[in-house]
């Protein structure tokens, strides 16, 4: 695989012994292909089976040598797998669970990478046999790109991966999945699924909606021309356009499957926006200054936490940006 200088291969991360004999990835887009690359480069699995619904995607994955076997048949792909990771849009979780359920090996770990957790659990759990370990997961790492060619080995390095295990989850299976994601480079966190959905609604889903909205608003302007919007985009607009370029299918599904949390966050956001409007209308400079000072501190804290690069232009020149399906640093 060719690595761009922006995504250097990590050193010292190659395991002596693979964690899984057979790892199956259902879906081989940005996230699936990044897992495949990390798993291959770091000796995480002996055999990587790749499944995708369209033959074009599968051929692309094969050309990129992302796996050891390829099939459009998800049921076929999961046979004998020790670990199956579902990497499809969250709205396709139920149909995927139905397709793989009869073919799963007893004792296999079944996980996913969906940006929403409660809905994925509700869609998948009823169809999975009781003799497999279903452990939902969400790597909070990504970019606005899609497809097998967009992934890279270091996508998960120093990013968080949140597991939302169900009650009575087998500890050994949980440990193995934790080891798997840690080997992919992630820092591990565990959370209740509903709490995950609230946290991600504010940190990821709402920022994407705001970006989609502001870019749409600029597009509808009549008094400011389109060429002016493009020409002066470095004033701030450009940074929203990156989030607003994120995959439409993925984000449609996130909105539809995290409806309650998202509506709650949108309501709070609208209230705060109204307060901001009032501060401007009544020339409350102190209120504006206090808010902007506080938010500047939040950015500093994100940089200090290693979740952003402290470079001019947000590291754009170095190509270091991620958007973490929301956490701008996908
Ligand atoms: P992607 O690059 O668009 O790849 C999507 C994959 O899912 C492709 O293999 C595609 O297959 C398959 N797929 C699409 N629709 C499907 C359907 N209806 N039924 C079965 N398979 C389908 O997407 P991605 O960015 O990797 O996202 C995958 C998952 O990761 C999503 O659940 C998303 O919420 C989560 N996630 C994304 C990010 C991010 O920043 N992108 C970050 C964290 C988590 P074909 O190409 O063969 O159609």
């Amino acid at each position: 695989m060719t690595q761009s200088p922006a995504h250097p291969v990590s050193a010292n991360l190659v395991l002596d012994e693979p964690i899984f004999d057979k790892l199956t990835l259902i879906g081989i887009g940005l996230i699936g292909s990044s897992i495949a690359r990390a798993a291959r480069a770091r000796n995480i699995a002996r055999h990587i089976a790749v499944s995708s619904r369209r033959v074009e995607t599968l051929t692309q994955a094969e050309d990129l040598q992302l796996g050891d076997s390829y099939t459009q048949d998800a049921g076929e792909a999961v046979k004998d797998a020790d670990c199956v990771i579902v990497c499809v849009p969250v709205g396709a979780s139920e149909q995927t669970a139905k397709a793989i359920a009869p073919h799963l090996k007893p004792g296999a770990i079944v996980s996913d990478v969906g940006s929403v957790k409660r809905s994925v659990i509700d869609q998948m759990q009823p169809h999975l046999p009781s003799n497999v370990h279903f452990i939902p997961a969400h790597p909070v790492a990504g970019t606005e790109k899609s497809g097998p060619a967009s992934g890279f080995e270091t996508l998960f390095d120093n990013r968080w991966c949140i597991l939302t295990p169900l009650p009575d989850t087998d500890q050994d299976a949980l440990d193995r999945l934790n080891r798997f994601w840690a080997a992919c480079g992630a820092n591990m966190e565990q959370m209740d699924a509903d709490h995950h959905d609230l946290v991600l609604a504010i940190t990821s889903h709402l920022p994407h909606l705001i970006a989609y909205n502001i870019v749409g608003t600029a597009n509808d302007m009549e008094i400011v021309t389109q060429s002016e919007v493009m020409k002066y985009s470095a004033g701030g607009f450009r940074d929203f356009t990156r989030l607003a370029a994120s995959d439409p299918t993925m984000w449609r599904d996130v909105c539809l499957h995290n409806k309650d949390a998202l509506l709650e966050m949108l309501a709070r956001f609208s209230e705060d926006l109204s307060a901001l409007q009032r501060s401007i209308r009544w020339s409350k400079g102190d209120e504006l200054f206090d808010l902007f000072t506080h938010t500047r501190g939040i950015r500093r804290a994100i940089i200090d936490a290693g979740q952003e690069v402290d470079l001019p232009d947000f590291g754009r020149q170095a190509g270091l940006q991620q958007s973490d399906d929301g956490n701008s640093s996908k």
Side-chain angles (χ1 to χ4, degrees):
M1 180 185 65
T2 313
Q3 293 272 349
S4 73
H7 308 304
V9 177
S10 301
N12 307 322
L13 288 166
V14 182
L15 301 184
D16 293 334
E17 269 292 301
I19 298 169
F20 299 118
D21 276 334
K22 181 174 174 183
L23 168 69
T24 295
L25 301 169
I26 308 289
I28 193 75
L30 170 72
I31 301 298
S33 73
S34 295
I35 295 174
R37 287 174 165 101
R40 170 57 34 84
R42 300 173 187 190
N43 192 32
I44 296 171
R46 285 197 173 83
H47 180 102
I48 301 169
V50 173
S51 181
S52 200
R53 98 191 137 149
R54 288 182 305 141
V55 73
E56 303 92 281
T57 306
L58 216 47
T59 306
Q60 217 185 337
E62 195 164 2
D63 290 346
L64 292 162
Q65 299 181 0
L66 295 175
D68 300 293
S69 58
Y70 304 87
T71 173
Q72 276 180 278
D73 182 343
E76 177 65 33
V78 303
K79 279 183 189 154
D80 299 321
D82 307 291
C83 180
V84 175
I85 305 196
V86 175
C87 309
V88 301
V90 290
S93 304
E94 181 168 22
Q95 70 187 60
T96 305
K98 279 184 186 168
I100 63 175
H103 309 282
L104 291 165
K105 179 167 105 170
I109 292 172
V110 178
S111 189
D112 77 309
V113 294
S115 307
V116 175
K117 297 277 50 97
R118 177 57 60 197
S119 166
V120 168
I121 293 171
D122 291 347
Q123 290 181 66
M124 292 185 69
Q125 196 188 15
H127 303 287
L128 297 175
S130 56
N131 61 5
V132 301
H133 307 293
F134 176 44
I135 311 174
H138 176 205
V140 187
T143 75
E144 72 280 16
K145 310 261 171 49
S146 311
S150 61
F152 51 97
E153 186 213 319
T154 54
L155 177 65
F156 309 110
D157 282 359
N158 199 31
R159 299 288 168 226
W160 288 98
C161 181
I162 303 171
L163 303 186
T164 61
L166 303 164
D168 304 327
T169 295
D170 178 74
Q171 191 58 47
D172 178 58
L174 197 55
D175 290 346
R176 273 187 297 154
L177 193 63
N178 264 299
R179 278 180 55 220
F180 168 81
W181 276 109
C184 287
N187 303 321
M188 301 308 296
E189 185 71 84
Q190 216 163 288
M191 231 179 248
D192 167 74
D194 294 314
H195 187 65
H196 165 279
D197 290 353
L198 267 181
V199 171
L200 270 291
I202 185 68
T203 56
S204 169
H205 308 169
L206 183 62
H208 275 80
L209 276 192
I210 293 168
Y212 281 123
N213 194 53
I214 196 171
V215 174
T217 302
N219 189 48
D220 291 342
M221 290 278 210
E222 279 165 10
I223 40 175
V224 177
T225 66
Q226 281 303 298
S227 60
E228 284 172 316
V229 170
M230 305 302 158
K231 187 169 169 186
Y232 302 114
S233 64
F237 180 73
R238 186 175 72 175
D239 296 315
F240 286 104
T241 62
R242 189 176 56 80
L243 287 186
S246 299
D247 188 67
T249 305
M250 169 183 161
W251 284 99
R252 176 203 63 198
D253 283 10
V254 167
C255 290
L256 298 181
H257 291 269
N258 198 20
K259 208 183 252 184
D260 293 345
L262 207 38
L263 287 175
E264 163 73 18
M265 293 306 163
L266 275 169
R268 293 178 78 127
F269 175 76
S270 301
E271 269 177 40
D272 291 344
L273 199 59
S274 299
L276 197 55
Q277 225 172 332
R278 215 169 29 248
S279 300
I280 296 169
R281 183 179 311 285
W282 299 108
S283 300
K284 303 271 189 191
D286 289 352
E287 287 177 12
L288 296 173
F289 186 83
D290 287 349
L291 174 66
F292 301 162
T293 305
H294 180 62
T295 55
R296 182 182 239 190
I298 291 173
R299 177 165 170 82
R300 189 70 253 163
I302 291 171
I303 293 167
D304 292 347
Q307 299 299 304
E308 172 61 302
V309 285
D310 191 13
L311 292 173
D313 223 6
F314 305 107
R316 180 179 283 107
Q317 298 308 325
L320 288 173
Q321 276 193 302
Q322 284 200 32
S323 77
D324 285 357
D325 76 318
N327 308 304
S328 172
S329 77
K330 350 326 260 145

